[in-house]
């Protein structure tokens, strides 16, 4: 398995503990994966995402069994006639981040990493901290000071050291990177480390199985730093390459109107992410004013013919209440996805769509 620079194409072995190329470029990942035999999976007993092992990074089986908490295999729940929620809030740490974090922690355990650093708006750090503590890897977590108290409590319960950083998500990332560069600690970043997408891509594999060997017409996906979105697009490209699908579903990427640099960039036609004015949003998990992989996200969304929608604070709160009345209690960030579906198609739509219910309601401060 190799890291490959997206700019200069330099290659590094995956045990090279770097988070960027020497040239400063971001890293992608390359390894041999086998096309998934979805027929054979019908009788496979492992319901976790490790049922797709042949198409996942080749970690040692003992490493996987030490780290896994059975993540993946989440149900589809009806929300409307042709609309389903995928209940990723049922993950071990209550958000979809477990799909990616389990990959990062397997990689660390296999190469003998003893301590790591992560910055996040809350859920990614919770997830990395949880998997790390299972296998005795110590974890320095950087979160913005506005992160919900529930998430911080959960992180501390998993024995991580929490650094609360004033101001924005971007200041938090800068503080984490300074710490990484001054200590040489492993940067277990869900944004920089491309292993994370190798886990989030299983969201789409599962949908493919749940729809009986096809995908829904529309995939609504949140986008802050784009880790679920880019994992989903990675899976779509693999499924295309394996001739399992013949076209991309419509991808609707959701941002909070208060913090929508990617939606603005997409609309402007620019290749480079624009600097836009942002305001705080209740959807703390997608509040990324300057996503590190923004240019890649924009290019991928243009390539697959997706679209962006933005949602207001009021729409987010209403969507949370609407879902709660359907029995589904999700965090406000996750309610934004349902608001995004409504913004894109309206409440009487018959579009066949799946919306990620990707964070549990008990994580929100409001
Ligand atoms: C992390 C997170 C998001 C946003 O994911 P990105 O990778 O930043 O695009 C959305 N919803 C929930 C619940 C999250 O935890
Ligand atoms: Zn490079």
């Amino acid at each position: 398995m190799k890291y490959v620079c997206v700019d200069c194409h330099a290659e590094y072995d995956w045990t090279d503990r770097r988070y960027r190329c020497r040239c400063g470029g971001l890293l992608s990942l390359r390894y041999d994966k086998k096309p998934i035999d979805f027929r054979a999976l019908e009788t496979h007993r492992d319901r976790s995402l490790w049922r797709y092992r042949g198409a996942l990074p080749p970690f040692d089986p003992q490493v996987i069994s030490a780290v896994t908490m059975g993540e993946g295999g989440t149900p589809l729940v009806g929300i409307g006639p042709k609309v389903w929620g995928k209940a990723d809030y049922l993950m071990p740490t209550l958000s979809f981040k477990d799909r990616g974090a389990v990959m990062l922690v397997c990689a660390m355990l296999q190469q003998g990493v003893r301590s790591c650093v992560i910055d996040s708006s809350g859920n990614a750090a919770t997830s990395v901290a949880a998997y790390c503590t299972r296998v005795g890897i110590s974890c320095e977590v950087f979160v913005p000071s506005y992160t919900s108290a529930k998430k911080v409590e959960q992180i501390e319960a998993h024995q991580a050291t929490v650094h609360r950083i004033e101001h924005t998500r971007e200041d938090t990332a800068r503080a984490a990177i300074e710490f990484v560069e001054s200590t040489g600690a492993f940067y277990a970043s869900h944004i920089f480390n491309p292993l994370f997408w190798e886990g989030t891509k299983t969201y789409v594999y599962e949908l493919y199985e749940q729809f009986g060997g096809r995908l829904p017409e529309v995939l609504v996906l949140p986008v802050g730093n784009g880790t679920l979105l880019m994992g989903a697009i990675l899976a779509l490209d693999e499924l295309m390459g394996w001739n399992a699908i013949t076209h991309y579903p419509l991808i609707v990427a959701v941002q909070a109107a208060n913090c929508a640099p990617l939606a603005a960039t997409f609309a402007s036609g620019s290749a480079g992410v624009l600097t836009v004015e942002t305001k705080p949003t209740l959807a703390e998990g997608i509040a990324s004013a300057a996503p590190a992989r923004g240019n890649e996200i924009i290019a991928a969304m243009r390539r697959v013919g997706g679209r962006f929608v933005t949602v207001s604070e009021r729409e987010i709160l209403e969507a949370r209440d609407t879902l709660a009345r359907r029995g589904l209690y999700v965090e406000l960030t996750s309610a934004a996805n349902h608001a995004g579906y409504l913004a894109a198609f309206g409440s009487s739509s018959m579009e066949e769509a799946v919306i990620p219910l990707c964070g549990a309601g008990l994580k929100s401060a409001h």
Side-chain angles (χ1 to χ4, degrees), residues 5 7-10 21 23 25:
C5 173
D7 291 333
C8 76
H9 309 293
C21 179
C23 82

Side-chain angles (χ1 to χ4, degrees), residues 94-97 121-124 151 190-191 196 222-229 285-288 297 331 333-334 337 357-360 363:
L94 315 180
S95 84
F96 81 82
K97 298 295 193 316
S121 66
N123 286 340
K151 292 182 186 174
H190 58 305
I191 302 159
F196 204 86
V223 52
N225 281 295
T227 64
L228 185 57
L229 176 77
I286 47 173
S288 301
I297 295 167
E331 69 172 284
T333 299
S334 193
N337 301 328
L357 306 173
C358 50
K363 283 169 171 282

Side-chain angles (χ1 to χ4, degrees), residues 33-82:
K33 44 187 106 158
K34 286 199 271 309
I36 296 170
D37 181 349
F38 285 99
R39 272 270 150 67
L41 279 181
E42 284 169 17
T43 54
H44 197 72
R45 283 170 53 199
D46 184 357
R47 305 309 305 173
S48 83
L49 58 76
W50 295 102
R51 68 200 264 101
Y52 310 112
R53 203 172 284 214
L56 298 177
F59 301 120
D60 294 341
Q62 319 84 276
V63 165
I64 296 170
S65 36
V67 177
T68 184
M69 294 195 271
E71 52 289 326
T74 56
L76 283 179
V77 185
I79 297 178
K82 291 177 81 181

Side-chain angles (χ1 to χ4, degrees), residues 79-84 217-218 220 250 252 307 338 340-353 355:
I79 297 178
K82 291 177 81 181
V83 185
W84 293 267
E217 289 159 16
V218 177
V220 177
L250 174 62
V252 175
R307 61 180 278 205
H338 188 246
Y341 171 80
L342 294 177
F345 303 108
S347 56
S348 53
S349 160
M350 286 303 282
E351 219 70 43
E352 180 190 61
I355 298 167

Side-chain angles (χ1 to χ4, degrees), residues 67 69 71 91-105 118 120 122-134 139 141 151 154-155 158 190 196 363:
V67 177
M69 294 195 271
E71 52 289 326
M91 290 281 177
T93 78
L94 315 180
S95 84
F96 81 82
K97 298 295 193 316
D98 295 355
R99 295 183 187 274
V102 72
M103 300 295 156
L104 292 183
V105 179
I118 176 163
S120 94
N123 286 340
T126 305
S127 188
V128 168
Y131 286 97
C132 276
T133 194
R134 279 175 74 69
C139 205
V141 164
K151 292 182 186 174
Q154 200 182 351
I155 294 166
H158 295 313
H190 58 305
F196 204 86
K363 283 169 171 282

Side-chain angles (χ1 to χ4, degrees), residues 4-10 12 20-27:
V4 184
C5 173
V6 299
D7 291 333
C8 76
H9 309 293
Y12 304 91
R20 304 193 89 141
C21 179
R22 234 174 263 116
C23 82
L26 297 163
L27 300 175

